[in-house]
Amino acid sequence: MNKFEQLGLNESLLKAILDLGFENPSEVQEKAIPLLLEKDTDMVALAQTGTGKTAAFGFPLIQKIDADNRNTQALVLSPTRELCLQITNELKNYSKYEKGINVVAVYGGASITEQAREIKRGAQIIVATPGRMQDMINRGLVNIKNIDYCILDEADEMLNMGFYEDIVSILSDTPDQKSTWLFSATMPQEVARIAKQFMSEPVEITVGTKNSGSSTVSHEFYLVNARDRYEALKRLADANPDIFSVVFCRTKRDTQAIAEKLIEDGYSAAALHGDLSQAQRDGVMKSFRGRQIQMLVATDVAARGIDVDNVTHVVNYQLPDEIETYNHRSGRTGRAGKLGTSIVIVTKSELRKISSIERIIKQKFEEKTIPSGIEICEIQLLHLANKIKDTEVDHEIDNYLPAINNVLEDLSKEELIKKMVSVEFNRFIAYYKKNRDISAQSSGERRERNDSEPREFNNNGAVRYFVNIGSRDNFDWMSLKDYLKETLDLGRDDVFKVDVKEGFSFFNTDPEHTDKVMEILNNVQLEGRRINVEISKNDGGGRRDHNNRGGGRNSGGPRREGNFAPRREGSGGGFRGDRNSAPRREGSGGGFRGERNSAPREGGFRRNEGGSDRAPRRSESFGDSSRPRRPRRD
Ligand code: ADP
Ligand code: MG
C-alpha cells in the first residue's frame, strides 16, 4: 500500500499525488494529514521551509471540501502575491481529479472586480493575501461568514510583514465553529498570540527543531571589502556556471540596480520587487521557473515563501536587517530534500552577524575565499568542454558539414579543440587576467603589507570612520586622537588621519580594529550624549586638503552622495597619492597607506537610502571600460 494511502487520502488525491511525483509523505505531512482528516480540529504546525507544508494542509483540505456545494468553505491566508498564486496553483493540481472544486486567488495588484466575479461563480476555496482580502470584505465582495476552514500559511511571515491587524479583522468575520490551521516555520510571540486568541485547543505538531534552518542547506561566507561586493557576486556566479539562484538585496533600489548591472554584464538575471507591476512580476517568476533566468535578484518581501525547484544557491548580497530573515532566505534552496548552498557576501564590520546567525540556525558557516581569476577560468573551461561533450547534435547541420570541413580540414584534432574552446573563452580569460584578488583579509591571517602595490591591488586599505563629535565638543585633531586611543585602548599609531570638523570628525584605523571601534565607540557617551560612529564611504581616504588641486571641482564643500570622482588608473599607488597633500601633522599614518588622488568623499558618510554598500560603478572598480562582456551562456 502506498504511504499516502495509509494516511487516509482518497482515490482522486492519490492519483494527483502520483502525477506530482511524490513518493513518500514528508514528516509534517505524515503527522498533519491523518489528524486533519480524522476530525475537525484546530492545529498549529511548525516545520522548516521546504518541508511540504502546502500539501500538509492542501491534501486534507481538498478531501474535506464539499465539491457539490458552491459556497465558500475555506480561506487560506498567505503573505505575498507570489505565494498566493503558488498555493492556488498547488491546490488546483491536488484537486484536478476532483470534479467541481474551484480555487480562486485574491491578491493586490490585479483587478478586484475580476476576482470578485470569479468568487461569485462559486469558489469553495479562496487563497488570499490579507490586505486584498480585507479590502474585499470591506466592499462586500466576498462572504466568509460560513467557512469551515481557515488556514494561516507562513503565519510568521504574515505577522512579520505587519498583517496582524488585517488578520485579526478578517478572522473576526469568520464563524467561531470553523477549524483553524496555522502553518509556520517559526513560532515568534505574535504567532503564539494569534494562536491563543483565535484557536481552541489546537493540536500541535513540530517537525525538527524550532527555528532551525533546513539541514540540507550548507552555509558559506565570503569576506570582501564593501566596494568589491558586486565583483564578488559576479565571480561567485562565474565559479558556478550552472548556478540557479535567488540573490537577496535589502532594498528595492539595490535589487533593481544589481539586476540591471548583472544584465548589462551579460548574466541572465532579473529583478523581483514590489515596485514592479503584477504582470511584470508574473513574467519574471515565469522566466525563473522556466530557467531562462539564472539569477533572480529579489527583496525579502517579494521572494518570501517562493518555491522553485532546484535552486542551487541563495546569495545574501547584503545581510538582512533582521537576522531571523536569514532563515527564510536560505529556505529558498535545499527544498524537498535536495542540497543547496546559502552564501553570504560579508564585510568585516558585519562579521559579528555571522555568529548571531549561526546561533539561530544552529549550524556553522564555512569561511571561503572568492575564487581567483585563474580558478574561475579553469572551472569555465571544464564546463565548456563538458558542454561540448553533452551537446546533442541537430542533424540539420549535416547539410553544412562539407563546407565547414572544407574550411577546417587542415587543422589537427588538438588544434581544432583549442580553437573551438578559445572561441568562447578568449574574452573571458582576457577579463580575468587583468583582475585582482578581491578576498578581504580573513579574521585570522594577516597578509604581508605590500606597499609597492597600487592601492587597488592592496587589501590593506584603512577603514575610515565618521563620528559625531568635533570641534564643537572641544576636540582638535590631537586631542581627538588621544581620546580615541584611550577609549579604544589602541596603540600610538593605530588611529590616524584624524580630521576634525565642527560637529563631526573622521579618522582611520586598520581594518583589524573595526569591530572594536564600532562596538566600543557606539556604546560610550560623551557628556551625556551618545557617540555615534559609522564607517565612512570614503574608505581609507585622506584628509580634506585645500592645497590639493588634484581634487578639482570636488575639493569644495561636502559632496553629494553618489557623486564621487572616479578613481584614476594608476593614481592610487604608494606614495603618489599624497604628493600634493599638505604636510601631515599626525606624522604617523604616513603617505604609504596609499591615499588616492581622488578627492575625499566626506559628504558620503550618510547611509545611502538604498543600503550602505553600493557596489562600485564599473569605471571605479575596474577602470577599464573596454572590458568585454562576459560570454553569455545559454
Ligand atoms: P513549505 O511550505 O514547507 O516551505 P512547500 O509546501 O512549498 O514547502 O514544498 C516544498 C517543495 O517540496 C515543493 O516543491 C513540493 O512540491 C515538494 N514536496 C512537498 N511534499 C513532497 C513529497 N511528499 N515528496 C516530494 N516532494 C514534495
Ligand atoms: Mg509554504
Side-chain angles (χ1 to χ4, degrees), residues 53-54 153-154:
K53 293 193 288 295
T54 317
D153 190 30
E154 314 270 353

Side-chain angles (χ1 to χ4, degrees), residues 50 53-54 57 83 86-87 153-154 305 335:
K53 293 193 288 295
T54 317
F57 68 77
L83 210 48
Q86 193 174 291
I87 295 167
D153 190 30
E154 314 270 353
R335 298 177 77 73

Side-chain angles (χ1 to χ4, degrees), residues 168-404:
V168 167
S169 158
I170 292 166
L171 287 177
S172 64
D173 212 40
T174 60
D176 284 345
Q177 63 276 17
K178 69 179 180 306
S179 301
T180 304
W181 307 342
L182 183 153
F183 284 78
S184 189
T186 60
M187 188 71 172
Q189 274 186 0
E190 298 80 28
V191 175
R193 192 160 127 215
I194 288 270
K196 214 170 147 195
Q197 221 173 326
F198 292 96
M199 300 169 83
S200 65
E201 296 170 23
V203 194
E204 281 192 35
I205 286 179
T206 305
V207 170
T209 23
K210 283 183 196 177
N211 291 337
S212 80
S214 160
S215 57
T216 55
V217 179
S218 51
H219 303 264
E220 303 175 343
F221 74 86
Y222 293 82
L223 188 61
V224 301
N225 293 313
R227 64 165 181 274
D228 290 327
R229 229 181 250 275
Y230 177 69
E231 176 69 13
L233 175 64
K234 289 204 308 174
R235 289 202 189 183
L236 290 169
D238 289 343
N240 294 283
D242 289 320
I243 194 168
F244 181 54
S245 61
V246 186
V247 178
F248 284 97
C249 294
R250 250 197 310 248
T251 64
K252 293 178 202 168
R253 211 165 80 181
D254 286 356
T255 302
Q256 184 65 31
I258 298 302
E260 279 173 13
K261 266 152 146 342
L262 286 170
I263 293 164
E264 190 183 317
D265 288 336
Y267 295 81
S268 54
L272 185 75
H273 55 71
D275 284 351
L276 302 178
S277 71
Q278 185 58 39
Q280 285 172 316
R281 286 167 69 162
D282 292 347
V284 167
M285 281 313 294
K286 192 158 171 240
S287 312
F288 188 55
R289 284 183 208 282
R291 292 182 161 253
Q292 286 101 310
I293 290 170
Q294 274 189 290
M295 301 170 86
L296 179 71
V297 190
T299 57
D300 286 299
V301 172
R304 201 141 281 167
I306 279 183
D307 176 44
V308 173
D309 284 343
N310 304 322
V311 167
T312 60
H313 293 77
V314 162
V315 182
N316 292 264
Y317 184 76
Q318 295 150 337
L319 276 173
D321 289 328
E322 308 254 321
I323 46 179
E324 286 76 13
T325 305
Y326 179 84
N327 243 342
H328 291 281
R329 290 182 171 189
S330 58
R332 295 314 107 219
T333 185
R335 298 177 77 73
K338 300 234 172 57
L339 296 180
T341 308
S342 175
I343 287 177
V344 181
I345 301 174
V346 74
T347 61
K348 190 124 195 181
S349 62
E350 301 166 317
L351 267 183
R352 239 173 318 145
K353 282 194 172 179
I354 294 285
S355 333
S356 316
I357 293 171
E358 283 179 336
R359 278 194 293 279
I360 288 188
I361 62 175
K362 300 198 178 70
Q363 256 175 288
K364 284 275 172 218
F365 274 83
E366 186 182 348
E367 176 172 3
K368 299 196 113 178
T369 44
I370 300 282
S372 67
I374 296 294
E375 286 168 303
I376 289 173
C377 287
E378 279 172 11
I379 293 169
Q380 288 282 345
L381 257 180
L382 268 177
H383 184 254
L384 182 58
N386 274 311
K387 201 169 133 189
I388 292 174
K389 182 166 155 255
D390 295 339
T391 294
E392 284 195 27
V393 173
D394 181 334
H395 287 283
E396 282 287 300
I397 210 172
D398 292 352
N399 298 331
Y400 307 96
L401 276 183
I404 295 172

Side-chain angles (χ1 to χ4, degrees), residues 4 17 20-26 28-29 47-57 59 83 86 90 94 153-154 183 305-309 331-332 335-337:
F4 281 103
I17 291 168
L20 287 166
F22 295 1
E23 282 169 11
N24 292 303
S26 69
V28 67
Q29 291 163 5
Q48 300 153 11
T49 49
T51 51
K53 293 193 288 295
T54 317
F57 68 77
F59 292 165
L83 210 48
Q86 193 174 291
E90 293 266 302
Y94 304 164
D153 190 30
E154 314 270 353
F183 284 78
I306 279 183
D307 176 44
V308 173
D309 284 343
R332 295 314 107 219
R335 298 177 77 73

